[in-house]
Amino acid sequence: MSASGEEREGPLTRVTNFVYRLLVIEVAFVLATLPALLGILLLDQEPSNIPLYGLFALFFGPAITAGVYAWRGDHDLIPWLRYWKGWVESFRQTLAVWTPVVGFATLASFNAAFAQVPASFLLGGAVLAGAVVVAGVATLVVIATFDFRTRDLFRVVMYGLASAPLSALGVLSLFLVVGAIVVLWSDWVAVLLASVMLWLLTRTVGPMLAQVRQDLVVNRG
């Protein structure tokens, strides 16, 4: 290997490229979710606005899929173009999956806020909603990584999570971390850490993706 090749592959260059990708994907994520971010900023934090929060949450599905797609390939030097390529190509399939996930989570949240039911029912609903969100996020990662028909996604994701349960636990952990950041600090802090969380997500689900890749399908380009 030439000296110039060694320099290009040096640790400083790798760190610089990583920070560059981190910042570019962060900016792209903010732009992709900007209507939702502005809406959340203007909304009063009241239970009656839960349906509107659910509507705004729809913007985050395509943004997450595109972010995972952009983080794939450590030597990709054009993450901006890759992000929007992933956003456009996966938009319809992502919404087909993400809409029922958001709808279920919104319904569970609304019932928790207003329904007069025992605490055990509320806890069960929260656990079920959390499981649905974890499965939904795992599905977005699969969409960003492979070419599957929408009707096959549920089977693929369930197979992947069952084959690599630590990936499911990792997604749940990231979900709880984001929730804690929103509660303890601000939702804007969570947004500013979005690129970091997306990078962690791509690492966390690695075992699941490896199992799916080995047993089921073909990589996306």
Side-chain angles (χ1 to χ4, degrees):
M1 181 180 294
S2 66
S4 60
E6 292 176 357
E7 183 179 351
R8 285 197 300 272
E9 296 299 325
L12 180 59
T13 301
R14 288 196 295 270
V15 170
T16 302
N17 287 338
F18 176 80
V19 173
Y20 166 71
R21 287 159 59 83
L22 193 73
L23 295 176
V24 169
I25 293 172
E26 177 67 33
V27 171
F29 182 90
V30 170
L31 288 177
T33 58
L34 188 59
L37 297 177
L38 292 176
I40 292 171
L41 176 65
L42 296 175
L43 272 183
D44 293 330
Q45 295 184 359
E46 297 179 355
S48 59
N49 287 327
I50 288 175
L52 290 176
Y53 281 110
L55 179 64
F56 293 138
L58 292 175
F59 284 85
F60 291 91
I64 292 171
T65 304
V68 173
Y69 186 77
W71 271 117
R72 287 181 51 227
D74 291 339
H75 301 290
D76 187 358
L77 298 179
I78 48 172
W80 177 263
L81 295 180
R82 189 167 178 88
Y83 183 95
W84 294 110
K85 180 176 183 289
W87 192 92
V88 171
E89 291 183 352
S90 63
F91 181 80
R92 292 180 63 183
Q93 191 176 42
T94 295
L95 279 188
V97 171
W98 191 241
T99 300
V101 170
V102 170
F104 186 87
T106 301
L107 181 61
S109 300
F110 197 82
N111 285 337
F114 292 104
Q116 301 297 322
V117 295
S120 57
F121 282 89
L122 296 179
L123 179 60
V127 170
L128 184 57
V132 169
V133 171
V134 168
V137 171
T139 304
L140 299 187
V141 174
V142 169
I143 292 173
T145 309
F146 302 105
D147 282 319
F148 284 103
R149 294 175 300 183
T150 303
R151 67 171 180 259
D152 295 329
L153 284 173
F154 179 78
R155 176 179 62 85
V156 171
V157 171
M158 291 301 101
Y159 175 84
L161 292 177
S163 302
L166 288 180
S167 292
L169 183 61
V171 174
L172 176 61
S173 299
L174 287 175
F175 177 70
L176 293 176
V177 168
V178 172
I181 290 173
V182 171
V183 171
L184 298 178
W185 284 285
S186 168
D187 44 7
W188 287 99
V189 176
V191 170
L192 293 176
L193 293 175
S195 187
V196 175
M197 293 299 173
L198 289 169
W199 176 74
L200 290 174
L201 179 62
T202 61
R203 298 293 180 177
T204 298
V205 298
M208 181 192 77
L209 296 179
Q211 197 67 45
V212 171
R213 182 179 294 111
Q214 175 182 317
D215 296 341
L216 298 178
V217 169
V218 182
N219 254 351
R220 284 187 68 182

